[in-house]
């Protein structure tokens, strides 16, 4: 896991997660197709590694070191009126 995840990726991941497992699988397949030959194998290998993670342990680690399982709330700028 990287130390800093760009805001656009965090918000995109939230939306993709809300769409469900099939949408995530389709997204990964689409990305693999743009990367080239062997990309699906690399993604499948990474998924196998991530499946070994215990969800409870990961939540505990993220809560202690990365502000939790969820991303910080989105901030919307509001124009001040006088």
């Amino acid at each position: 896991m990287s130390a800093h995840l760009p805001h656009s990726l965090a918000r995109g991941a939230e939306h993709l997660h809300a769409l469900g497992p099939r949408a995530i699988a389709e997204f990964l397949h689409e990305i693999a197709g743009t990367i080239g030959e062997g990309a699906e194998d690399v993604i499948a290998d990474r998924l196998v590694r991530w499946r070994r993670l215990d969800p409870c342990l990961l939540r505990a680690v993220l809560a202690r070191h990365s502000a939790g399982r969820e991303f910080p709330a989105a901030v919307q700028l509001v124009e001040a009126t006088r």
Side-chain angles (χ1 to χ4, degrees), residues 7 12 17 21 36 41-44 78:
H7 178 77
H17 177 267
D41 293 335
V42 172
I43 291 171
V78 178

Side-chain angles (χ1 to χ4, degrees), residues 2-73:
S2 65
H4 175 71
L5 188 66
H7 178 77
S8 60
L9 291 181
R11 296 298 167 229
E14 288 175 331
H15 183 74
L16 196 57
H17 177 267
L19 295 176
R22 176 64 188 258
I24 294 169
E26 294 290 344
F27 175 79
L28 292 173
H29 179 73
E30 181 181 326
I31 293 299
T34 65
I35 294 172
E37 190 174 328
E40 285 188 11
D41 293 335
V42 172
I43 291 171
D45 179 59
R46 294 295 194 282
L47 289 171
V48 167
R49 289 173 52 199
W50 278 76
R51 284 185 70 192
R52 292 185 205 137
L53 294 173
D54 179 312
C56 293
L57 179 60
L58 182 60
R59 271 193 293 278
V61 170
L62 290 176
R64 182 170 173 96
H65 298 288
S66 302
R69 180 175 176 241
E70 308 298 327
F71 297 113

